[in-house]
Amino acid sequence: MLSIWPITGIGEVARGADLGELIAAAVAGAGGRDAGPATAGTRQLPGREHPIAVAQDAAADSPPGGWMLRDGDVVVIASKVVSKAEGRVVAAVDREQAITDETVRVVATRAHGAGLTRIVENRLGLVMAAAGVDASNTPAGTVLLLPVDPDASARGIRARLRELTGARVGVIIADTSGRAWRQGVTDMAIGAAGVTVLDDLRGGVDREGRVLSATVVAVADELAGASELVRGKACGVPVAVIRGAASWTTHHDGGGARAIVRPAADDMFRLGSDEAYRRGYEAGRAAAERDPVAGQ
Amino acid sequence: MLSIWPITGIGEVARGADLGELIAAAVAGAGGRDAGPATAGTRQLPGREHPIAVAQDAAADSPPGGWMLRDGDVVVIASKVVSKAEGRVVAAVDREQAITDETVRVVATRAHGAGLTRIVENRLGLVMAAAGVDASNTPAGTVLLLPVDPDASARGIRARLRELTGARVGVIIADTSGRAWRQGVTDMAIGAAGVTVLDDLRGGVDREGRVLSATVVAVADELAGASELVRGKACGVPVAVIRGAASWTTHHDGGGARAIVRPAADDMFRLGSDEAYRRGYEAGRAAAERDPVAGQ
């Protein structure tokens, strides 16, 4: 069974904040809710000498093993708070210029009301609308850029959580993105440490004994999306814990979420259809003009 | 808190099988594990006169509210077993021909080893590799096609579960798909009933009080992906229950997962880059040949 719950009480994250510590403290606060077998029906709150009586339901509704972090838990963190802790709030008179600055390669653009939707590849190799630049949840006149190296951020937070809680957890940094052919956004993993981001089942067998040929599951993206369901977009809960996914956590940090980015050579959608068509059109016209006979 | 668990014991699904009944029976089997407050430490198994003693852990590890289906649960079903129940296993000497038959529009193709990877739009409007035709988990010489109308399948199973269990659940039919710019597959919702598939947060406000402008969350896809984590590709567990997502379940069946398919007019990736470039090239060359002067 998979259990997923939000970590509340983290509050506003300032530049320079120790996210690992904030998370550990918020988890410890929630841990006050734990009612183990010895204290069923009561609850030991921090700062109180004696446990208080609680309804039986409270214990029944806690995740298996209680609220405290355990080995094999996966902690999913919204990239937004990682960016804030890392001081990635930058002054930007013009959000469009900030997007341009973050853009490595333009994939597709389209007029959208008064503005322009820009699907671009950013420094992290991620193909995203607006390069992942975020102008919500930041003071006016500023925008929030993605972490410089979300895999490194994940490694740092993982090490800090180990230090503070003793638990060897997996850490995922999640961000929100649209998809090519589907409406609506979902969360994906842009950083990871201690998590098997791609579960390669190739070479395994199905129920009929046939070898699975092309099944690599993007587990980290599914974990990120699952966590979004309890973190939510509007409720401002930046962290969730997933219990029951320990088989995808690893002893070492591993290569991180960068591995999920499809290499250019395998990318059949490097350019939007209109953009590719226009490039082809220009090339075709130029070829015909250079060599009208061969063009026939 | 979100709890997600697999429904085991469904077994092989034959043509004409009543999936709602199979799921209800498998859930009732698991329900034997429920240990409510009155029977803590014991377990009433079906067909036994007296409850048996169980370890305390069994109760602690059950989802909040127990294993039986409740109003607001979401039941996620692999499209594979829906297809099997609906007799969508068809003889196919040639899997490639089966893919061609299911294709409405070719989006992109690429040589892949000895074969050809074909990304196409299928009858359901879904852009998928191999049109969603599945040659695994079926007898040799056959392939499995997607359900004819997965939203209708979801509605039927939902009604049947209501009839058999009394619970008003949401139902999602999930299938596995690749993504344009990300490696690995994830599960998405191809059918749904009683579920808010797209959660439209536009018009809501963020923590700073600013109006959220462009946030529609593909909740049904995130639920499908989350369920994949407990169903798994290789272990052959076709059904999972999600508890804690009741805010996205609805009284009525609703429009279903078809609404997640991006309309053609909004699709910036109607064609693969190479395909669009080639079409543009031909058009540019033809234009220059028709009218060499204007082409300058």
Side-chain angles (χ1 to χ4, degrees), chain A residues 71-233:
Chain A
D71 287 359
D73 286 349
V74 177
V75 177
V76 186
I77 307 166
S79 70
K80 184 169 291 197
V81 293
V82 178
S83 292
K84 287 183 177 178
E86 296 180 357
R88 298 283 286 162
V89 180
V90 298
V93 184
D94 182 359
R95 179 169 173 265
E96 295 306 315
Q97 185 58 46
I99 296 170
T100 302
D101 293 345
E102 290 294 297
T103 296
V104 168
R105 189 174 63 81
V106 176
V107 175
T109 61
R110 182 168 284 196
H112 179 78
L116 189 71
T117 297
R118 287 191 272 174
I119 315 288
V120 305
E121 181 181 324
N122 65 21
R123 298 170 201 274
L124 301 171
L126 302 168
V127 175
M128 299 178 78
V133 172
D134 187 355
S136 71
N137 267 316
T138 57
T142 65
V143 296
L144 197 57
L145 308 181
L146 291 177
V148 172
D149 182 349
D151 284 327
S153 308
R155 289 193 296 272
I157 296 167
R158 181 179 192 235
R160 191 78 176 113
L161 285 173
R162 182 92 205 276
E163 198 171 67
L164 293 167
T165 70
R168 197 190 297 274
V169 302
V171 170
I172 288 174
I173 315 286
D175 201 59
T176 306
S177 178
R179 294 89 46 87
W181 306 292
R182 310 275 290 164
Q183 303 214 78
V185 296
T186 59
D187 266 38
M188 61 179 180
I190 68 166
V195 176
T196 304
V197 296
L198 294 166
D199 192 9
D200 192 341
L201 304 172
R202 289 174 297 186
V205 291
D206 66 18
R207 294 169 74 192
E208 308 270 313
R210 268 170 309 201
V211 174
L212 294 167
S213 58
T215 306
V216 178
V217 181
V219 167
D221 283 342
E222 292 188 331
L223 290 167
S227 79
E228 194 282 324
L229 293 164
V230 305
R231 291 186 286 110
K233 289 279 162 291

Side-chain angles (χ1 to χ4, degrees), chain B residues 32-35 39-45 48 50-59:
Chain B
R33 288 182 289 172
D34 278 342
T39 57
T42 63
R43 194 188 279 171
Q44 183 62 60
L45 291 183
R48 270 181 165 268
H50 301 292
I52 59 165
V54 293
Q56 190 66 34
D57 273 2

Side-chain angles (χ1 to χ4, degrees), chain A residues 105-108 119-122 125-128 180-181 260-272 276, chain B residues 108-111 117 119 179-183 269 271-275:
Chain A
R105 189 174 63 81
V106 176
V107 175
I119 315 288
V120 305
E121 181 181 324
N122 65 21
L126 302 168
V127 175
M128 299 178 78
W181 306 292
I260 311 176
V261 173
R262 190 184 289 285
D266 296 342
D267 181 358
M268 297 161 82
F269 301 93
R270 288 286 282 175
L271 281 176
Chain B
T109 60
R110 182 169 284 196
T117 296
I119 315 288
R179 293 90 47 87
W181 306 293
R182 309 277 289 165
Q183 302 214 79
F269 301 92
L271 282 176
S273 312
D274 290 354
E275 285 74 11

Side-chain angles (χ1 to χ4, degrees), chain A residues 230-267:
Chain A
V230 305
R231 291 186 286 110
K233 289 279 162 291
C235 43
V237 178
V239 182
V241 178
I242 301 178
R243 181 161 298 158
S247 61
W248 294 297
T249 60
T250 57
H251 189 84
H252 295 293
D253 285 333
R258 179 77 196 206
I260 311 176
V261 173
R262 190 184 289 285
D266 296 342
D267 181 358

Side-chain angles (χ1 to χ4, degrees), chain B residues 32-237:
Chain B
R33 288 182 289 172
D34 278 342
T39 57
T42 63
R43 194 188 279 171
Q44 183 62 60
L45 291 183
R48 270 181 165 268
E49 195 177 343
H50 301 292
I52 59 165
V54 293
Q56 190 66 34
D57 273 2
D61 280 357
S62 70
W67 301 101
M68 302 301 286
L69 290 182
R70 294 159 66 111
D71 288 357
D73 286 349
V74 176
V75 177
V76 187
I77 308 166
S79 70
K80 185 170 288 198
V81 292
V82 178
S83 292
K84 287 183 177 177
E86 295 180 357
R88 299 282 286 163
V89 180
V90 299
V93 183
D94 182 359
R95 177 168 174 268
E96 296 305 315
Q97 184 59 45
I99 296 169
T100 302
D101 293 345
E102 289 293 298
T103 296
V104 168
R105 188 173 65 82
V106 176
V107 174
T109 60
R110 182 169 284 196
H112 179 78
L116 190 70
T117 296
R118 287 192 272 174
I119 315 288
V120 306
E121 180 182 324
N122 65 21
R123 298 169 202 275
L124 301 172
L126 301 168
V127 175
M128 300 178 76
V133 171
D134 187 354
S136 71
N137 268 315
T138 57
T142 67
V143 295
L144 197 57
L145 309 182
L146 290 176
V148 172
D149 182 349
D151 283 327
S153 307
R155 288 192 296 271
I157 295 166
R158 181 180 191 234
R160 190 80 174 112
L161 286 173
R162 181 92 206 275
E163 196 171 68
L164 293 167
T165 70
R168 197 190 299 274
V169 300
V171 170
I172 288 174
I173 315 288
D175 202 58
T176 305
S177 178
R179 293 90 47 87
W181 306 293
R182 309 277 289 165
Q183 302 214 79
V185 296
T186 59
D187 266 38
M188 62 179 178
I190 68 166
V195 176
T196 303
V197 296
L198 294 167
D199 192 8
D200 192 342
L201 303 174
R202 289 174 296 186
V205 290
D206 67 17
R207 292 170 75 192
E208 307 272 311
R210 268 169 311 199
V211 174
L212 294 167
S213 59
T215 307
V216 178
V217 181
V219 166
D221 283 343
E222 291 188 330
L223 290 167
S227 78
E228 195 281 325
L229 294 163
V230 304
R231 291 186 284 111
K233 290 278 163 290
C235 43
V237 177

